[in-house]
Amino acid sequence: MPDLAWMAWTPETAVFFAAIALLLVLMILWGRLDPRNAPRKGILGIATQRGDRLFLSLLSAAFIHLAWIGLAGGWPLWGALLLSVVCAAGVFRFV
Amino acid sequence: MKTVNQKAWFLVLPVLLLVGFSALIPLMTVVNYSVQDTFGNNRFFWAGTTWYEQVLHSARFWDALGRNLLFSAIILAIEIPLGVFIALNMPRRGPGVAVCLVLMALPLLIPWNVVGTIWQVFGRVDIGLLGHTLAALGIDYNYVQDPVDAWFTLVLMDVWHWTSLVVLLAYAGLVSIPDAYYQAASIDGASRLAVFRYIQLPKLARVLTIAVLLRFMDSFMIYTEPFVVTGGGPGNATTFLSIDLVQMAVGQFDLGPAAAMSIIYFLVILLLSWVFYTVMTRNDGHPQAHNPQSDRP
């Protein structure tokens, strides 16, 4: 077993990366179950597919968390997570 | 029953391994470092979002980010039009083509640290051709002490080093335009400007997208040349994010804050690259894209 101490894993970061990996697996399964994935134009006026919407959701989530940490320092991060989920729902529905 | 050959996946395995070891594993490690503190010996202490708060509330970070954005904006505003202009005026056939292409490729072949050293000497008032000439003309130029002169030197150096890339990309785009387009324009009596606006520029759109993306990402991550020429000075006038990051990580051994800063830096590059790419390719591809709003009465 290789020594991975230099990677400095913590349970929290492991859960974080596992969640992203799980999202990718879920997207693959979604693609298998419902292959209809034609590009569509939403409120941003750009053609997006599911993968683009996931990318936008993750990028938005990252910036929402940064803004939360920068502007509302001290408040629990669950608020940022909740906001990110709402944003992701909006992206998948309207973008 | 439909059979699917999955052997092709083995062909992408080397790329996946390469990306995994060169990008994913380092990125995961940086994320891990960004939420911990360490004093060496692989001993880490949980720090949560402390380093992110520290970076986001530091004027040093925002100043460096502002300098980076300004530098990239200046670079793009100069190099893209200049590169297209030079490409338009390069010969399309004859012996001049090879001469021009070699001349254009030369700056691209010089390593970054050598470019920095060349310009560090070139700009010096005592022995450098540029600095000495400007001083002889009575211009008060000293990139070591004057922030404006330092910026002027860095911008000039980058333009000298990288405009060639835009030229070569634009030239490749221009020579791929069939003669029939020019013949049609000539029959219609189109002016030189009209030919550029309605034939050449649209045909160059794809290569210019690549040029803008490459030059933006490269200029936004610039490190070696300013480090060699100005070392981030005078004061912090040319301290870009990358220089600041190395100072923090290697100079001060503040790995936690440096990792948090790296993640934010990465996200900014990712966002801006996506915006550039989306804006420049919004009219390409996806011709069948469905706009649900257009269906509404």
Side-chain angles (χ1 to χ4, degrees):
Chain A
M1 185 73 185
D3 181 15
L4 294 178
W6 61 273
M7 284 189 78
W9 281 105
T10 69
E12 291 84 353
T13 51
V15 167
F16 170 73
F17 284 111
I20 291 181
L22 185 67
L23 277 175
L24 294 176
V25 170
L26 286 176
M27 290 296 285
I28 293 169
L29 288 177
W30 188 9
R32 285 288 172 93
L33 293 173
D34 182 10
R36 291 168 302 163
N37 189 17
R40 74 158 196 239
K41 280 189 179 177
I43 52 170
L44 289 184
I46 53 171
T48 58
Q49 291 177 290
R50 279 177 204 147
D52 301 313
R53 281 167 232 140
L54 178 70
F55 171 76
L56 275 179
S57 303
L58 291 175
L59 196 60
S60 310
F63 279 98
I64 287 169
H65 278 79
L66 284 181
W68 189 274
I69 291 169
L71 301 173
W75 290 12
L77 273 177
W78 293 109
L81 183 64
L82 188 68
L83 210 56
S84 301
V85 171
V86 172
C87 177
V91 167
F92 270 84
R93 175 67 186 86
F94 298 111
V95 172
Chain B
M1 184 181 160
K2 188 182 171 189
T3 56
V4 180
N5 187 349
Q6 302 282 10
K7 281 181 190 163
W9 288 106
F10 287 107
L11 299 175
V12 293
L13 202 59
V15 175
L16 285 178
L17 286 173
L18 196 68
V19 171
F21 280 101
S22 67
L24 287 180
I25 291 176
L27 186 65
M28 284 190 220
T29 310
V30 172
V31 170
N32 292 344
Y33 272 60
S34 72
V35 290
Q36 297 178 85
D37 197 6
T38 181
F39 303 104
N41 284 334
N42 282 344
R43 295 190 63 195
F44 297 91
F45 307 92
W46 177 255
T49 57
T50 309
W51 305 134
Y52 287 95
E53 283 172 38
Q54 186 178 308
V55 170
L56 289 169
H57 289 131
S58 97
R60 176 179 161 178
F61 168 76
W62 291 107
D63 289 347
L65 178 64
R67 279 182 219 114
N68 254 123
L69 290 170
L70 180 64
F71 184 73
S72 293
I74 293 173
I75 289 304
L76 289 178
I78 296 174
E79 289 180 12
I80 300 297
L82 183 63
V84 173
F85 177 77
I86 294 172
L88 284 170
N89 288 290
M90 273 171 59
R92 303 289 163 80
R93 45 184 73 86
V97 175
V99 174
C100 285
L101 288 178
V102 169
L103 281 177
M104 284 298 136
L106 275 179
L108 300 174
L109 299 175
I110 304 174
W112 290 271
N113 51 350
V114 178
V115 170
T117 309
I118 290 172
W119 280 81
Q120 203 229 20
V121 176
F122 188 51
R124 281 177 60 170
V125 180
D126 50 353
I127 56 168
L129 185 62
L130 175 70
H132 196 70
T133 308
L134 289 176
L137 291 171
I139 298 169
D140 185 20
Y141 166 84
N142 190 334
Y143 73 84
V144 181
Q145 291 176 349
D146 190 318
V148 177
D149 292 348
W151 268 79
F152 171 74
T153 310
L154 291 184
V155 168
L156 200 62
M157 176 183 64
D158 201 89
V159 169
W160 174 82
H161 193 188
W162 289 110
T163 303
S164 306
L165 179 74
V166 184
V167 173
L168 293 177
L169 285 169
Y171 187 75
L174 284 172
V175 293
S176 68
I177 300 173
D179 280 342
Y181 284 84
Y182 294 112
Q183 288 161 2
S186 171
I187 292 166
D188 288 346
S191 65
R192 182 74 194 85
L193 190 66
V195 170
F196 176 69
R197 169 69 185 82
Y198 297 105
I199 296 175
Q200 291 170 323
L201 200 55
K203 289 286 175 191
L204 284 179
R206 279 181 183 275
V207 287
L208 286 183
T209 303
I210 295 168
V212 168
L213 276 175
L214 284 177
R215 286 313 303 130
F216 166 71
M217 288 189 289
D218 240 10
S219 63
F220 203 74
M221 296 188 289
I222 193 166
Y223 172 75
T224 313
E225 296 103 314
F227 181 74
V228 174
V229 177
T230 63
N236 285 328
T238 55
T239 302
F240 299 112
L241 278 173
S242 55
I243 294 179
D244 206 15
L245 193 56
V246 172
Q247 276 173 1
M248 199 183 275
V250 182
Q252 301 161 218
F253 201 67
D254 283 337
L255 296 184
M261 192 171 166
S262 302
I263 298 295
I264 299 170
Y265 192 6
F266 168 68
L267 287 171
V268 171
I269 291 180
L270 196 60
L271 175 71
L272 292 177
S273 297
W274 179 80
V275 169
F276 273 126
Y277 182 78
T278 306
V279 167
M280 298 186 78
T281 59
R282 66 185 185 281
N283 295 325
D284 297 350
H286 298 314
Q288 75 283 31
H290 175 62
N291 184 355
Q293 286 168 349
S294 64
D295 295 343
R296 290 173 192 156

